[in-house]
Amino acid sequence: MPEMIGFLKPKQAVLDRRQEIVADLKDLLPKGCLISEERELKPFETDAFLAYRRLPLAVALPETTEQVAALLKYCSRYGVPVVPRGAGTSLSGGAIPQEDAVVIGLSKMSRILDIDLFNRTATVQAGVTNINISEAVSADGFFYAPDPSSQLACTIGGNIGMNSGGAHCLKYGVTTNNLLGVKMVLFDGTVIELGGKALDAAGYDLLGLVCGSEGQLGIVTEATVRLIAKPEGARPVLFGFASSEAAGACVADVIGAGIIPVAMEFMDKPAIEICEAFAHAGYPLDVEALLIVEVEGSEAEMDAMLQRIIEVARRHGVTTIRECQSALEAALIWKGRKSAFGATGRIADYICMDGTVPLSQLSHVLRKTAEIVAGYGLRVANVFHAGDGNMHPLILYNINDPEDAARAEAAGNDILKLCVDAGGCLTGEHGVGIEKRDLMLHQYSRNDLDQQMATRAAFDPEWILNPSKVFPLEGRPAA
Amino acid sequence: MIVHFEPASEEGIASVVRSAAAERVTLAIVGGGTRAGLGNPVRTDRTLSTRRLSGIVSYNPAEMTMSALAGTPLAEVEAALRAKGQMLSFEPMDHRPIFATSGEPTIGGVFAANVSGPRRYVAGAARDSLLGVRFVNGAGELIKAGGRVMKNVTGLDLVKLMAGSYGTLGILTEVTFKVQPVPPAAATVVVSGLNDAEAAAAMAETMAQPVEASGAAHLPESVRGRFLNGALPDGAATVLRLEGLADSVDLRAEKLTTALSRFGSVSRLDAEATRLLWAEIRDVKSYADGTRRALWRVSVAPSSGHQLVAALRLQTGVDAFYDWQGGLVWLRMEADAEAELVRRYVGALGGGHASLVRAGDNVRASVPAFEPQAPAVVQLTERIRARFDPARIFNPGRMAANK
């Protein structure tokens, strides 16, 4: 396909020294921790944003914070770009490398260092998967709340990089609200610690700044996160509607009535069909839109809350209400939702948008999205976190047809601009990465963006870390 | 003579800042001035107040967000929310009682100082509710960051950076924040007669139960009588707040009573007493004593709070009570501030943050108000500061880590 998103031109001086750099990096790491053979570099040439790929100069897989520090010290000294990588599940191209870059992958740093149930914290290395944290404390009745759909694979380091969310964030917040501290390595190899088991830290909220910074400010090697007591029970319920507008209005009214369910997920007809065909979750196929609303608590509490939600849904002409009768059924309902992206990949290539809009704009944005995509002659499936207005239109296209791909990308850009114009933002949880970099000036003024870039430069004056990402290539301050 | 600026618009603020930056004139940034005692004392050439930049810009209860100009009185924000059955989930503390200040706290001041209360340990701090800001930087440019939606990862999160920066990075002109429905019912479970260590264990046990406690504080016998006009049962009071639908609160209170009965005698407070008690805990009523005796606010891991107090007691006279499951210790010193001692023990117990909230002028002049930081972090902080306020005109020294 034609490439519409630019990369920085590789530094010739770095490419010319490739052999020497590889040899030097090998010396900094234990045996087997540096990958430099083309065949072995292949798996690292892209992440889950598959439309773009670049072979990196080398991939380093350090086992300790000290090794990460040594790598960064070396790379900053010689001006070698560095691309941090967790599990490579970024949907915005946050971990796509470039030809002159060393990928620093944290996958070998996957130990849980400390579980402290009295203080309800877990301290883990950055390469621990999201689901592993909850699994490690599940038997004791606790869990870690942010649950991106990729939680089986994605790592906590990547979650911090992207400030990941998930279906249950409506009640429990996103990564930044559940992160207590990090150990991280700055561009020059300096190791710092921010936060810890105490809730307050001194000085500026650097932890808040690092969370969601997409590998621009440093490399997180360890994290301390909050654990929460598991609710007594949880029950997802399916609500079917005759139109997307009715479902969207129902979401706003539930929230407006002062009810905060733990999750409110939205699927339109194409998404329902795709997910049902894959997961056989028992989704109704005779509706135009579906809400998965999950409540939690004791049986009596869930009954009381559901009764109130059902009253609101009836006012919006709900056509199907299906309460699940067993844990198996509940698991199936979530399996269908959480596999939406994978299931869509079975029937077509797609790009997944990630705009966020104020709840009052949901219906308007859904209608306009359909018009935009139809205008490009493509199809769209919508599946998203409706409770917090985080939309995920999946634009279906054929990756082998260059014109189709260009149309899909153009439609995606139009949709994201629509979200911003409706009072929302370009990305709610996937990050800017490489994908939305050139749209940043649609959401921010030149001054706004300059202030962000100046802040970035306070951390990484030479612009070594993940350099092609997040900020438009034009207008960057000189190194 | 101190010149006092009170611009009534963002552009007015930007214009004052541009002249000040050009002439290297330092500015004290204030809202209602009720929290001026927080942080290191600052001496500046001029004062700039956001007081006239006042008013709620937009409020949509169904979206659970509000935007307000920075100088809007907190009371006005809370009244508008209350009228729609909503609230600020982080329960900002009112500093007037402990400082004996008058005046009106502003919503900008709440976020600039990241002021939170008892619910903070489960619902997050002020910074967790802040979704978007507009501010004037030290070059006199108007900058916006964040937005008005619940989830936003578009670029660097300057919103978090601005929260708790005490007016040293920029002057907040408008804030957008999320709000929450007021829970229809509330109750407090009281366990009486526990010592500090037992109370810590009872609070940890509470947080391990699926009851969603939204407050966990321990009021030792020395302070218990100063809350609720002495109406709490005899002996130290370990208090646990439950909120939600009326039936849920009842069920959860029963469940918690059963779980905690092995610790001591358990009783319950109704909704009205609950509201009053937690407002008093939030505002540190026990130490609103009209004195300037040194008052520390120490944040540590909940398991360390009572150990800190026990260790200090062997060395000096302290009075204390605990919020945030024991992780927030309010320490009133009976004689000296003992900064070196307090900070040494905080470090020895696994680290945290001891801030000197109140003290006599001599002490405030010599003790850094906030926990000193590692040199690498101080350097980073200085570089960030230089990118926001290159002429260093905003609240110089307010947050300085070392003196």
Side-chain angles (χ1 to χ4, degrees):
Chain A
M1 68 182 273
E3 297 218 334
M4 297 172 66
I5 299 172
F7 280 71
L8 287 168
K9 195 166 174 293
K11 298 178 184 176
Q12 195 56 46
V14 171
L15 296 180
D16 290 346
R17 288 186 61 242
R18 182 171 188 276
Q19 292 309 324
E20 198 184 335
I21 292 169
V22 166
D24 289 346
L25 293 177
K26 267 200 177 120
D27 287 344
L28 298 176
L29 292 167
K31 203 168 156 36
C33 289
L34 191 85
I35 295 171
S36 57
E37 296 295 325
E38 184 173 334
R39 183 177 49 83
E40 292 177 276
L41 290 174
K42 272 279 181 189
F44 296 91
E45 68 179 355
T46 188
D47 52 23
F49 185 60
L50 297 167
Y52 291 81
R53 49 193 73 216
R54 290 283 187 282
L55 214 55
L57 186 142
V59 174
L61 302 172
E63 293 172 341
T64 65
T65 300
E66 291 69 31
Q67 289 165 15
V68 174
L71 289 166
L72 280 174
K73 190 174 174 188
Y74 177 89
C75 289
S76 63
R77 184 171 168 195
Y78 293 102
V80 181
V82 168
V83 176
R85 183 181 178 103
T89 57
S90 170
L91 289 163
S92 63
I96 289 178
Q98 51 192 60
E99 297 90 335
D100 56 353
V102 173
V103 169
I104 298 187
L106 280 296
S107 57
K108 289 195 176 193
M109 294 184 66
S110 57
R111 281 192 300 137
I112 292 178
L113 302 171
D114 173 54
I115 301 275
D116 180 346
L117 295 182
F118 190 102
N119 291 314
R120 287 170 295 122
T121 63
T123 302
V124 303
Q125 289 185 318
V128 168
T129 60
N130 175 291
I131 194 86
N132 264 347
I133 300 177
S134 287
E135 282 175 349
V137 295
S138 176
D140 292 302
F142 294 89
F143 73 110
Y144 171 64
D147 61 337
S149 296
S150 56
Q151 70 185 141
L152 284 172
C154 67
T155 64
I156 197 71
N159 288 176
I160 293 167
M162 292 304 190
N163 190 11
S164 302
H168 291 85
C169 292
L170 181 57
K171 177 172 177 186
Y172 294 109
V174 295
T175 303
T176 193
N177 309 117
N178 290 276
L179 181 65
L180 292 169
V182 295
K183 180 183 273 190
M184 67 183 287
V185 185
L186 302 180
F187 81 106
D188 61 355
T190 307
V191 178
I192 62 169
E193 289 189 46
L194 303 173
K197 288 185 184 180
L199 287 178
D200 281 0
Y204 295 143
D205 188 0
L206 301 183
L207 186 63
L209 189 61
V210 164
C211 193
S213 63
E214 307 197 22
Q216 302 268 305
L217 304 185
I219 297 186
V220 169
T221 58
E222 289 177 21
T224 299
V225 299
R226 241 159 56 110
L227 302 174
I228 297 173
K230 275 198 282 193
E232 220 169 311
R235 202 191 298 163
V237 180
L238 296 179
F239 291 92
F241 293 87
S243 74
S244 285
E245 281 79 6
C250 178
V251 169
D253 272 7
V254 167
I255 303 272
I259 310 166
I260 316 284
V262 64
M264 272 216 238
E265 299 289 296
F266 180 109
M267 290 176 157
D268 68 3
K269 194 175 181 67
I272 297 167
E273 286 169 355
I274 289 166
C275 294
E276 179 61 18
F278 174 76
H280 308 293
Y283 293 165
L285 295 170
D286 58 346
V287 299
E288 284 299 315
L290 187 69
L291 293 179
I292 302 172
V293 179
E294 183 158 281
V295 294
E296 48 178 45
S298 63
E299 288 300 321
E301 287 174 302
M302 292 192 288
D303 285 344
M305 193 177 271
L306 272 176
Q307 199 185 335
R308 297 180 62 191
I309 294 170
I310 287 170
E311 278 168 30
V312 176
R314 288 205 197 287
R315 287 208 296 276
H316 292 280
V318 63
T319 56
T320 309
I321 300 174
R322 188 170 303 157
E323 298 189 41
C324 54
Q325 308 297 326
S326 68
L328 182 70
E329 217 177 327
L332 260 179
I333 286 178
W334 278 115
K335 184 186 173 202
R337 166 61 185 90
K338 292 210 170 190
S339 57
F341 294 177
T344 305
R346 297 197 320 160
I347 65 156
D349 304 304
Y350 69 92
I351 48 174
C352 171
M353 295 292 111
D354 173 42
T356 295
V357 297
L359 285 186
S360 61
Q361 300 292 313
L362 266 182
S363 298
H364 162 72
V365 172
L366 278 171
R367 196 166 52 243
K368 291 291 288 182
T369 295
E371 285 171 25
I372 288 170
V373 178
Y376 282 100
L378 298 170
R379 288 184 300 153
V380 63
N382 282 290
V383 46
F384 60 94
H385 315 303
D388 39 32
N390 189 185
M391 308 189 56
H392 293 311
L394 304 174
I395 303 170
L396 312 184
Y397 73 106
N398 176 1
I399 203 167
N400 295 317
D401 176 348
E403 281 181 28
D404 218 30
R407 278 196 295 269
E409 215 166 288
N413 284 353
D414 288 357
I415 291 170
L416 293 179
K417 286 179 179 172
L418 167 70
C419 290
V420 172
D421 296 342
C425 63
L426 292 173
T427 168
E429 58 182 3
H430 295 174
V432 178
I434 201 157
E435 181 195 24
K436 287 160 287 235
R437 190 188 65 200
D438 297 319
L439 291 174
M440 287 288 270
L441 278 165
H442 195 80
Q443 182 169 337
Y444 296 113
S445 73
R446 189 74 247 176
N447 278 350
D448 301 340
L449 211 51
D450 284 350
Q451 187 71 68
Q452 290 189 30
M453 286 193 281
T455 308
R456 185 205 190 286
F459 282 80
D460 176 22
E462 305 291 328
W463 215 288
I464 294 297
L465 292 161
N466 221 7
S468 284
K469 317 290 165 60
V470 183
F471 298 106
L473 299 183
E474 303 74 31
R476 293 182 173 196
Chain B
M1 189 191 78
I2 285 274
V3 179
H4 190 80
F5 296 111
E6 282 192 2
S9 67
E10 284 176 336
E11 184 39 48
I13 289 178
S15 142
V16 169
V17 170
R18 281 194 294 269
S19 332
E23 296 161 29
R24 293 287 199 268
V25 165
T26 54
L27 298 172
I29 314 304
V30 302
T34 65
R35 305 180 211 273
L38 296 175
N40 301 313
V42 292
R43 290 253 280 282
T44 58
D45 305 317
R46 311 274 160 82
T47 298
L48 188 153
S49 167
T50 56
R51 214 169 51 90
R52 289 178 65 204
L53 208 64
S54 178
I56 291 167
V57 178
S58 67
Y59 174 35
N60 185 343
E63 288 178 358
M64 300 197 297
T65 58
M66 179 186 274
S67 297
L69 296 177
T72 311
L74 179 61
E76 186 180 328
V77 167
E78 293 192 317
L81 292 175
R82 207 161 36 239
K84 297 291 181 187
Q86 296 187 327
M87 63 175 192
L88 298 171
S89 64
F90 55 92
E91 305 184 272
M93 170 185 179
D94 185 347
H95 281 84
R96 285 175 295 187
I98 59 161
F99 287 137
T101 43
S102 54
E104 279 297 317
T106 63
I107 191 69
V110 164
F111 288 108
N114 192 25
V115 179
S116 313
R119 212 184 276 106
R120 185 257 186 274
Y121 85 121
V122 289
R127 62 88 116 171
D128 292 284
S129 285
L130 190 59
L131 301 172
V133 294
R134 292 163 68 87
F135 65 95
V136 173
N137 68 11
E141 296 164 334
L142 181 68
I143 308 291
K144 70 173 190 299
R148 61 188 186 99
V149 287
M150 299 292 167
K151 287 164 97 182
N152 180 2
V153 293
T154 321
L156 287 185
D157 193 350
L158 299 187
V159 176
K160 296 281 185 307
L161 191 62
M162 293 304 293
S165 64
Y166 290 87
T168 61
L169 295 176
I171 304 171
L172 290 176
T173 57
E174 187 181 312
V175 288
T176 298
F177 43 93
K178 82 178 138 171
V179 301
Q180 290 278 319
V182 175
T188 299
V189 171
V190 185
V191 188
S192 296
L194 306 188
N195 67 33
D196 293 2
E198 291 163 344
M203 289 189 281
E205 172 65 26
T206 301
M207 296 312 297
Q209 298 283 329
V211 296
E212 297 188 21
S214 67
H218 176 60
L219 312 172
E221 181 59 16
S222 63
V223 299
R224 189 260 306 164
R226 281 176 255 167
F227 290 92
L228 289 187
N229 289 317
L232 284 164
D234 284 349
T238 308
V239 292
L240 305 146
R241 180 174 59 184
L242 302 171
E243 297 174 299
L245 300 175
D247 292 348
S248 294
V249 168
D250 277 343
L251 281 169
R252 289 174 177 189
E254 279 167 34
K255 198 179 298 172
L256 192 55
T257 299
T258 307
L260 296 181
S261 55
R262 69 184 166 91
F263 286 93
S265 84
V266 183
S267 54
R268 199 190 295 186
L269 303 179
D270 66 13
E272 182 52 24
T274 294
R275 191 189 60 73
L276 201 62
L277 173 67
W278 290 94
E280 291 180 353
I281 292 171
R282 178 193 72 196
D283 297 341
V284 194
K285 183 162 191 227
S286 52
Y287 304 136
D289 47 14
T291 74
R292 301 189 73 189
R293 268 194 279 179
L295 181 62
W296 290 93
R297 179 182 180 277
V298 185
S299 173
V300 289
S303 59
S304 299
H306 67 94
Q307 298 181 55
L308 171 71
V309 173
L312 285 169
R313 282 222 168 97
L314 296 175
Q315 308 280 335
T316 186
V318 299
D319 194 37
F321 80 89
Y322 308 84
D323 196 353
W324 299 355
Q325 194 201 320
L328 178 66
V329 187
W330 285 99
L331 271 179
R332 191 189 60 188
M333 313 306 283
E334 301 308 318
D336 298 329
E338 303 282 14
E340 193 275 331
L341 203 59
V342 171
R343 288 195 162 132
R344 177 149 47 91
Y345 285 159
V346 166
L349 285 165
H353 183 206
S355 41
L356 185 63
V357 171
R358 182 183 72 187
D361 291 342
N362 287 346
V363 176
R364 291 192 67 212
S366 60
V367 174
F370 301 114
E371 191 75 32
Q373 296 174 281
V377 177
V378 172
Q379 285 167 22
L380 196 52
T381 296
E382 285 303 313
R383 292 203 297 269
I384 292 170
R385 176 90 199 272
R387 304 285 181 155
F388 280 76
D389 176 20
R392 303 187 63 89
I393 56 171
F394 293 150
N395 282 347
R398 171 76 77 199
M399 293 187 76
N402 307 303
K403 288 197 171 180

